[in-house]
């Protein structure tokens, strides 16, 4: 009964590990995962909205160069009107009405605005660039999550393979022990011990495969791909680690400084004199002839200059606010560089530790393998007990599991450091 259970579990694990034929498998690289995750992440659609918003804002700003048309109306009543204090014989001098009306349109063409429209268009472009760079920062954070899932799958796959080797050793020991049980030289409990260990190893394979499937499903959600048994994650080569920081946050800080520079220029442009042509045409009482009390049409045109003075009351404080904002950006950049360098030092220490551990892992595995082989020979000769053989098999398995963990962790930590510096793989 126990042997039948072991065979069924072994068959299930083999199907879980090997899946479909090798020729149907498709390799998926870490770089491809980065690109697919970025392309299919919902936030990526915001880039099109930023571009469209910038285009509309630039079009609206450009309208300032076109003639501006406005219509005005006014009705008023005043307590006194202008009168001529002279009475001439034979002449009736009209008296203006105290209720007056005016309806007119004005067409104005800007000649010089101090560069306000040009700076406004530059400001809209820089604002869009900063928003796009902020989006780039958010999308870049996907790399850390992709690293965790991608290398998590690689670790689980290596553990599954190692667990298969463990089951082979246990099965070999079980065959020897079962033969001894059949000859009556050892008790059945020795075979039961190995059968129990083999069942635990089979359960371990099921657990690892289930966890691997969960990791693949989460990775598939990020890259918008069905992660079935046809997809195989390709282990990347060790990257060339560069220590220069090229994170998108630095471009964001630079963009924020450019935006403040444009705000400074726009502030200056808003307080410069403006020159324009204008044309008014209207209908009212009185019109341009102040001695006429009739409704009349009129027109007037000319050149207009205006000097905004209100801005000079607040100009100094507004410039001070821009300087404060500039200092805040510098503080944020310094804090980001400090935290990034701190993370790089921690990662460098972790990489150094894993490299040292890997240097001794092979030696430990070699020693454990030699002891296990000796134990297998002794078990076959009946020199040692089954529990002694099982102990050495588990010791070798733990040593190999440790090396697998250290190897993939080192690779993952190297790519995490590459992500932290912002250097492309």
């Amino acid at each position: 009964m126990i042997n039948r259970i072991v065979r069924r579990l072994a068959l299930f694990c083999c199907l879980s590990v090997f899946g479909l034929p090798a020729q149907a498998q498709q390799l998926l690289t870490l770089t491809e995962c980065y690109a697919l995750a970025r392309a299919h992440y919902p936030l990526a659609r915001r880039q099109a909205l930023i571009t469209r918003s910038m285009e509309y804002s630039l079009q609206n700003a450009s309208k300032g160069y076109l003639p501006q048309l406005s219509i005005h109306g006014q009705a008023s009543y005043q307590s006194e009107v202008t009168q001529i204090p002279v009475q001439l014989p034979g002449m009736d001098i009209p008296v203006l009405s105290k209720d007056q009306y005016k309806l007119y349109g004005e067409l104005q063409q800007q000649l010089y605005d101090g560069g306000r429209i040009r700076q406004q268009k530059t400001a809209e472009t820089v604002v869009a660039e900063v928003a796009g760079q902020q989006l780039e920062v958010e999308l870049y954070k996907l790399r850390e999550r992709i690293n965790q899932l991608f290398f998590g799958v690689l670790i689980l796959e290596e553990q599954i393979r190692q667990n298969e080797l463990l089951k082979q050793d246990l099965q070999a020991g079980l065959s020897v022990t079962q033969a001894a049980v059949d000859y009556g030289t050892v008790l059945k409990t020795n075979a039961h011990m190995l059968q129990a260990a083999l069942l635990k190893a089979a359960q371990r394979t099921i657990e690892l495969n289930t966890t691997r499937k969960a990791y693949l499903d989460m990775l598939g959600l990020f890259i918008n791909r069905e992660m079935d048994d046809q997809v195989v994650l390709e282990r990347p080569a060790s990257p060339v680690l560069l220590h220069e920081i090229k994170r998108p946050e630095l471009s964001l800080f630079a963009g924020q400084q450019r935006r403040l520079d444009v705000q400074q220029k726009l502030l200056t442009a808003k307080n410069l004199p403006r020159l324009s042509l204008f044309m008014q045409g209207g209908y009212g009482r009185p019109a341009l002839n102040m001695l006429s009390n009739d409704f009349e049409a009129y027109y007037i045109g000319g050149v207009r200059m205006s000097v905004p003075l209100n801005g000079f009351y607040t100009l100094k404080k507004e410039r001070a606010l821009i300087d404060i904002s500039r200092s805040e950006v510098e503080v944020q950049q310094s804090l980001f560089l400090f935290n990034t360098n701190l993370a790089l030092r921690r990662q460098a220490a972790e990489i150094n530790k894993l490299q040292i551990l890997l240097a001794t892992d092979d030696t430990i595995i070699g020693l454990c393998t030699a002891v296990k082989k000796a134990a297998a020979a002794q078990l076959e000769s009946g020199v040692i007990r089954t529990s002694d053989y099982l102990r050495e098999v588990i010791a070798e398995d733990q040593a190999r599991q440790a090396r697998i963990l250290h190897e993939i962790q080192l690779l993952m930590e190297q790519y995490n450091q590459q992500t932290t510096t912002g250097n492309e793989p």
Side-chain angles (χ1 to χ4, degrees):
M1 178 66 180
I2 294 178
N3 288 333
R4 187 162 57 252
I5 295 176
V6 171
R7 285 195 299 271
R8 289 179 178 177
L9 284 174
L11 177 61
F12 175 82
C13 294
C14 288
L15 292 174
S16 300
V17 172
F18 297 107
L20 295 177
Q23 60 269 20
Q25 294 178 343
Q26 301 174 359
L27 288 179
L28 183 63
T29 65
L30 180 60
T31 304
E32 290 173 339
C33 288
Y34 288 153
L36 290 171
R38 176 187 174 88
H40 295 97
Y41 196 59
L43 192 62
R45 294 195 295 269
R46 185 166 175 252
Q47 183 60 57
L49 300 178
I50 293 173
T51 303
R52 192 183 310 169
S53 176
M54 180 190 69
E55 292 173 353
Y56 291 159
S57 298
L58 290 177
Q59 291 173 5
N60 287 336
S62 297
K63 297 296 192 295
Y65 292 117
L66 299 177
Q68 306 297 312
L69 177 64
S70 59
I71 298 177
H72 307 270
Q74 177 179 312
S76 64
Y77 182 87
Q78 55 195 64
S79 59
E80 293 291 338
V81 294
T82 302
Q83 295 181 357
I84 298 178
V86 177
Q87 293 293 335
L88 298 177
M91 181 178 293
D92 185 16
I93 300 176
V95 178
L96 296 177
S97 299
K98 293 183 178 180
D99 56 320
Q100 300 183 1
Y101 307 92
K102 183 183 295 186
L103 178 65
Y104 66 95
E106 178 173 299
L107 186 66
Q108 179 174 297
Q109 175 61 58
Q110 195 78 248
L111 297 179
Y112 175 73
D113 65 348
R116 182 177 59 87
I117 296 177
R118 176 169 50 83
Q119 293 299 333
Q120 182 66 38
K121 292 174 68 176
T122 304
E124 296 295 344
T125 302
V126 173
V127 166
E129 290 176 356
V130 171
Q133 201 59 46
Q134 181 66 55
L135 176 62
E136 184 68 27
V137 170
E138 296 299 324
L139 292 175
Y140 190 79
K141 294 178 181 178
L142 285 173
R143 288 174 175 256
E144 298 179 1
R145 302 170 75 174
I146 296 300
N147 285 348
Q148 294 174 356
L149 294 173
F150 192 94
F151 288 104
V153 172
L154 293 182
I155 289 176
L156 290 166
E157 289 176 347
E158 291 297 330
Q159 289 177 334
I160 291 171
R161 293 189 184 97
Q162 174 54 34
N163 204 56
E164 291 301 308
L165 296 178
L166 172 63
K167 289 192 292 184
Q168 291 177 12
D169 290 335
L170 292 174
Q171 187 61 54
L174 179 60
S175 299
V176 173
T177 304
Q178 188 62 49
V181 170
D182 293 339
Y183 282 110
T185 56
V186 297
L187 298 176
K188 287 185 177 181
T189 53
N190 291 290
H192 292 167
M193 187 182 302
L194 288 172
Q195 288 171 344
L198 192 57
L199 286 172
K200 289 180 181 179
Q203 289 179 337
R204 173 67 173 162
T205 298
I206 296 173
E207 292 174 355
L208 291 172
N209 274 296
T210 302
T211 306
R212 173 182 174 274
K213 184 64 169 61
Y215 271 58
L216 283 174
D217 288 342
M218 287 187 287
L219 183 60
L221 288 176
F222 275 103
I223 66 176
N224 194 31
R225 176 177 291 189
E226 188 68 26
M227 303 296 284
D228 52 22
D229 291 331
Q230 295 180 354
V231 179
V232 177
L233 303 187
E234 182 181 10
R235 181 190 291 195
S238 297
V240 178
L241 297 179
L242 303 176
H243 300 290
E244 182 183 0
I245 299 176
K246 296 181 179 179
R247 289 280 293 274
E249 285 87 347
L250 297 180
S251 297
L252 174 62
F253 295 136
Q256 290 173 340
Q257 292 288 10
R258 288 196 302 273
R259 183 177 61 184
L260 293 172
D261 292 338
V262 174
Q263 288 180 358
Q264 185 87 23
K265 295 178 181 179
L266 184 59
L267 190 61
T268 301
K270 286 181 178 180
N271 291 280
L272 291 177
R274 303 174 190 175
L275 187 66
S276 62
L277 295 174
F278 75 96
M279 172 67 73
Q280 282 187 13
Y283 185 78
R285 186 186 70 182
L288 298 181
N289 184 3
M290 297 301 297
L291 298 179
S292 173
N293 200 38
D294 298 328
F295 282 94
E296 296 176 342
Y298 69 93
Y299 71 90
I300 183 174
V303 180
R304 176 183 294 154
M305 186 183 73
S306 61
V307 181
L309 298 178
N310 294 338
F312 289 99
Y313 302 146
T314 59
L315 181 60
K316 184 177 180 180
K317 298 298 182 184
E318 288 176 339
R319 286 178 174 172
L321 288 174
I322 291 177
D323 291 337
I324 291 174
S325 298
R326 198 184 303 279
S327 298
E328 288 180 350
V329 173
E330 292 173 354
V331 170
Q332 292 174 2
Q333 181 172 346
S334 298
L335 179 61
F336 169 75
L337 290 174
F338 176 82
N339 290 333
T340 301
N341 285 315
L342 196 64
L344 288 175
R345 290 199 175 189
R346 180 193 61 78
Q347 290 169 346
E350 186 68 16
I351 288 173
N352 184 61
K353 181 194 76 174
L354 291 170
Q355 287 173 338
I356 294 174
L357 292 176
L358 273 173
T360 56
D361 278 336
D362 288 334
T363 303
I364 295 174
I365 291 174
L367 295 173
C368 290
T369 301
V371 173
K372 184 204 70 175
K373 288 181 178 179
Q378 292 172 343
L379 177 66
E380 190 173 357
S381 302
V383 177
I384 62 172
R385 295 176 297 178
T386 303
S387 58
D388 297 327
Y389 171 76
L390 182 59
R391 182 181 65 249
E392 302 306 333
V393 169
I394 293 176
E396 186 203 26
D397 175 67
Q398 290 177 344
R400 292 186 179 276
Q401 293 280 4
R403 190 192 187 286
I404 290 170
L405 191 61
H406 294 157
E407 185 179 9
I408 304 297
Q409 280 181 336
L410 174 61
L411 193 59
M412 181 173 66
E413 203 64 42
Q414 288 172 335
Y415 274 89
N416 284 339
Q417 188 179 73
Q418 188 179 64
T419 299
T420 301
T421 58
N423 292 287
E424 292 294 330

